[in-house]
Amino acid sequence: RGSLYYLDRRLRIVVSRIVLVFSAFWLEVSLFQHGCMVGAYTPPTSATRLERKVKKARDKILNWISDGKERGSYPLLMVDGNNLRGIGRFEWDAVELQHRVVDFCQHYGIPTAIIVWDHGDCPFVSCQRYKSSSASSISSSSLSECSVLTIFSGLSRRADDVLVSELEHLISLFGGHDQEHEHLQLNVGFVTSDRELDHKFRRVVASESLRIALQNDRTDRSRSVPTNLNAKPMVCDSQRFLELLRESGRFDSSSSSSNSNNNKFKNSLNIIDREAKRALEASKESLQRFTKSQRRGYNPRREKTWERCVQAEVFRRSLCRSFSAACNGDEESSSVDFVTRYLVALKEIRSYSDPCSDYAEEPVDHVLHPTLVPFRGPTRLDRQQRRLLERYNRFLKKQSETKHVN
């Protein structure tokens, strides 16, 4: 009897709740029909949420730029390239992403950007300077050119480690420790969705600010080092930054006329980027042929780690072959002055190889037949990915041998 009473009570509670829900729904429908629910609350859709997040990111970047102008500091944007590509599901290759970052910097008046890529056979840096396009800029100051430094982390480090170490190096080099560079104060912003990396950035800037403040206490007031470093650096989320890139981009590949925009984009490339774009497309076709030979499915929107190793090294070798345009440029603008000094510091202090020296030391066979050089992966690759990379190297070697025979 007790169990039957308990079940009967539970059943009554369930039935009463169902009746209450249906009655509330019917009341809401009737009120809406009579015009009493015109100002009712409607929950925001995913599109409106994304618009709010993008607007928040846009305001954050504009405040970052305006605060830097008030302090008279030099704006510098550092981008985690692979993180940004992964958030966008590898919609753009490295060249297209770099050009969209250039369009973004020209649109917002940022003279210099640093894009850090994972992998590459060695720590490598190159620089390109892009003249400002006719696209509308929201910045009041006219930007004649935008400089982009491309850094490869190499086999032993990740892009996260490079971003943190380069932030420390930039602050120590241009943050006032050296009398030669004490007039240049940096306003650094970052693009990443890695929260751990965000915390590392804040710790580095806070520790450097404390270090400079202690240095001021120990030295003379007249020779004190400026302490206008922001203890909370600007960090923009990668997903929101992607939407900002689509807004400021000149060529939208997601529109209905994607083929025409693709052709316009390729025609707008310079010689270096056109060669890199061609090499990356050929590499993707080669990866697709290899996966078909291995009876595996190939999805360009879901790149494996070993495939990203190949793509990064193809991009690096293409920049190496186009070394002549990366070594010139001795203008007197502040952007080129900063970039030139930073490049010298990267080569001489940080031991990064540059396109000129790397191309000069590279064997002739490597330059004429780049597919003969096997691709190497970092030590953190697991056994399966390393095995696939070795098979891909054998696949390329076999293809090159058959071409030479024919």
Side-chain angles (χ1 to χ4, degrees):
R1 286 181 180 179
S3 60
L4 290 175
Y5 174 76
Y6 178 74
L7 289 175
D8 184 56
R9 185 182 177 187
R10 294 286 296 178
L11 185 61
R12 287 179 180 178
I13 292 174
V14 171
V15 171
S16 63
R17 287 182 179 177
I18 292 174
V19 171
L20 182 63
V21 169
F22 272 100
S23 60
F25 176 73
W26 186 256
L27 178 63
E28 186 176 351
V29 170
S30 60
L31 287 174
F32 182 76
Q33 288 177 351
H34 287 83
C36 300
M37 298 286 290
V38 176
Y41 171 75
T42 56
T45 61
S46 58
T48 55
R49 290 196 192 100
L50 183 60
E51 288 176 1
R52 290 177 184 175
K53 291 180 179 179
V54 171
K55 183 181 182 300
K56 187 176 180 181
R58 190 188 302 112
D59 295 340
K60 179 191 285 189
I61 290 176
L62 289 174
N63 292 333
W64 167 65
I65 295 173
S66 62
D67 292 345
K69 286 182 179 178
E70 290 178 1
R71 297 198 308 266
S73 56
Y74 184 87
L76 174 65
L77 186 68
M78 301 184 73
V79 181
D80 189 351
N82 276 333
N83 179 268
L84 195 57
R85 287 192 68 229
I87 291 295
R89 295 187 61 198
F90 306 100
E91 178 184 359
W92 305 322
D93 57 20
V95 176
E96 189 169 358
L97 178 64
Q98 180 168 308
H99 269 263
R100 287 185 178 267
V101 171
V102 170
D103 290 342
F104 175 84
C105 292
Q106 291 177 350
H107 184 68
Y108 284 88
I110 303 172
T112 306
I114 299 176
I115 305 177
V116 182
W117 298 99
D118 278 303
H119 315 303
D121 282 0
C122 63
F124 181 86
V125 60
S126 68
C127 174
Q128 291 196 64
R129 300 178 177 96
Y130 298 90
K131 299 295 181 183
S132 62
S133 61
S134 58
S136 61
S137 174
I138 64 175
S139 175
S140 58
S141 60
S142 60
L143 189 64
S144 60
E145 65 180 7
C146 176
S147 301
V148 177
L149 281 84
T150 307
I151 298 179
F152 293 87
S153 63
L155 299 175
S156 60
R157 294 200 299 173
R158 299 174 183 265
D160 300 354
D161 305 329
V162 174
L163 283 168
V164 174
S165 62
E166 289 310 311
L167 175 61
E168 296 175 349
H169 177 61
L170 282 167
I171 293 175
S172 63
L173 186 63
F174 299 99
H177 293 181
D178 192 357
Q179 294 296 327
E180 182 183 355
H181 306 130
E182 69 174 351
H183 65 280
L184 181 62
Q185 295 298 311
L186 291 179
N187 185 25
V188 187
F190 303 93
V191 177
T192 184
S193 59
D194 193 344
R195 292 186 178 180
E196 183 180 355
L197 193 59
D198 184 4
H199 295 317
K200 288 181 181 179
F201 291 152
R202 296 186 183 186
R203 283 198 298 268
V204 168
V205 175
S207 62
E208 288 296 328
S209 300
L210 180 61
R211 179 180 170 184
I212 294 175
L214 291 175
Q215 184 179 352
N216 286 341
D217 291 339
R218 293 172 184 172
T219 57
D220 239 351
R221 294 279 181 184
S222 59
R223 300 177 58 188
S224 62
V225 182
T227 59
N228 57 352
L229 294 172
N230 191 2
K232 187 178 179 182
M234 194 283 295
V235 179
C236 183
D237 184 69
S238 298
Q239 181 66 44
R240 303 172 189 179
F241 188 74
L242 277 174
E243 299 300 325
L244 292 177
L245 289 184
R246 290 190 177 96
E247 284 183 0
S248 59
R250 288 176 290 166
F251 310 111
D252 187 9
S253 59
S254 62
S255 62
S256 58
S257 58
S258 58
N259 292 330
S260 61
N261 286 329
N262 229 354
N263 295 330
K264 289 179 181 178
F265 170 72
K266 290 181 180 179
N267 294 333
S268 68
L269 299 177
N270 56 23
I271 299 175
I272 299 176
D273 293 333
R274 196 175 300 149
E275 178 64 27
K277 181 76 174 174
R278 192 180 300 115
L280 288 173
E281 289 178 349
S283 175
K284 284 186 178 180
E285 293 175 0
S286 176
L287 288 169
Q288 189 172 4
R289 290 195 302 269
F290 167 72
T291 51
K292 284 184 178 179
S293 68
Q294 298 290 314
R295 295 180 181 179
R296 293 173 176 267
Y298 177 73
N299 187 358
R301 302 296 293 271
R302 296 184 64 182
E303 288 183 0
K304 308 292 191 300
T305 306
W306 72 272
E307 294 175 356
R308 291 197 291 273
C309 295
V310 172
Q311 295 284 333
E313 181 58 19
V314 166
F315 188 29
R316 191 194 72 84
R317 291 178 186 179
S318 175
L319 293 176
C320 225
R321 288 193 297 271
S322 308
F323 71 101
S324 57
C327 301
N328 59 2
D330 293 324
E331 289 101 358
E332 297 179 354
S333 65
S334 61
S335 172
V336 175
D337 187 31
F338 164 77
V339 171
T340 305
R341 284 150 51 188
Y342 183 50
L343 278 174
V344 171
L346 283 172
K347 297 170 192 175
E348 297 180 357
I349 302 175
R350 312 286 288 171
S351 301
Y352 276 84
S353 60
D354 64 302
C356 303
S357 61
D358 201 37
Y359 186 88
E361 296 173 0
E362 200 169 5
V364 179
D365 293 338
H366 291 192
V367 178
L368 298 178
H369 309 289
T371 56
L372 296 179
V373 186
F375 293 99
R376 296 186 295 169
T379 55
R380 59 182 179 272
L381 275 182
D382 57 16
R383 185 178 300 177
Q384 182 182 2
Q385 302 241 5
R386 190 168 294 280
R387 190 184 299 121
L388 287 171
L389 184 59
E390 292 172 356
R391 289 178 185 174
Y392 181 67
N393 286 327
R394 291 196 294 269
F395 173 78
L396 290 180
K397 186 176 181 181
K398 186 177 179 181
Q399 274 195 335
S400 62
E401 288 175 355
T402 54
K403 284 182 181 179
H404 285 305
V405 169
N406 295 334

